[in-house]
Amino acid sequence: GQIPSATLEQHEFIGELALSGELRPVEGSLTAAIAAAREQRGLFVPARNAHEASVPSSSRIFPAGHLMQVCAQLK
């Protein structure tokens, strides 16, 4: 209940979440960015995936290195 569900519904999220809260890079960020842009949703990605995910010009990419950064951006 800390993040409004309406806000969550406007975004997609990819990445590997470490127990420390760190977001680790994953494969497929370009494909995810294309799909999110097609659905007019923002995409949160690990910071190290940001370059690849930002290739589609219509994508809205939110890079983050830690889960707390994601939460802060969504509030």
Side-chain angles (χ1 to χ4, degrees), residues 1-72:
Q2 295 179 7
I3 299 172
S5 59
T7 302
L8 292 174
E9 292 171 1
Q10 299 171 9
H11 297 90
E12 300 293 335
F13 305 85
I14 64 168
E16 179 183 335
L17 180 60
L19 293 175
S20 66
E22 174 191 8
L23 298 177
R24 297 179 181 160
V26 294
E27 294 183 12
S29 61
L30 176 58
T31 305
I34 292 168
R38 186 179 312 129
E39 296 298 320
Q40 299 180 347
R41 294 175 178 239
L43 178 65
F44 280 85
V45 299
R48 293 187 355 207
N49 285 122
H51 181 71
E52 178 183 354
S54 64
V55 169
S57 60
S58 61
S59 61
R60 293 181 302 142
I61 303 302
F62 302 96
H66 196 276
L67 181 60
M68 295 305 292
Q69 292 174 321
V70 174
C71 293

